[in-house]
Amino acid sequence: MTDQDDKVLQTLSKPDRIQAGDSGERLAIRHYDKTPVTTDKFLVVAYRETSPNDGFVITAYFTRRFSNRRETLWKSPNS
């Protein structure tokens, strides 16, 4: 994830969807047509909110697909 700070921040601020994690964390997910890994990947950013205005990132990674089994908490009308 070297040099991917901009994509991580964009995924957190404008996700395509947010899913529930296994232990109270949330997963912000955004599709990118081009990534450092290859083309057509999703960036998943796992984060935890500590208050309505604060939180922290746990991890971030690119993947071919996201889980459809997880609960979707929010979905962008554009996706």
Side-chain angles (χ1 to χ4, degrees), residues 59-72:
T59 191
Y61 56 91
F62 286 105
T63 185
R64 286 188 307 123
R65 61 186 119 168
F66 57 88
S67 175
N68 286 319
R69 295 181 294 174
R70 293 188 182 277
E71 177 187 5
T72 298

Side-chain angles (χ1 to χ4, degrees), residues 18-69:
I18 298 175
Q19 293 183 326
D22 293 332
S23 302
E25 75 277 10
R26 295 184 178 187
L27 306 173
I29 302 166
R30 184 174 174 93
H31 181 262
Y32 289 93
D33 291 328
K34 184 173 179 172
T35 71
V37 180
T38 185
T39 58
D40 196 33
K41 294 279 186 185
F42 291 92
L43 178 58
V44 179
V45 181
Y47 68 98
R48 185 174 304 269
E49 292 181 341
T50 55
S51 73
N53 297 318
D54 200 13
F56 59 93
V57 171
I58 299 167
T59 191
Y61 56 91
F62 286 105
T63 185
R64 286 188 307 123
R65 61 186 119 168
F66 57 88
S67 175
N68 286 319
R69 295 181 294 174

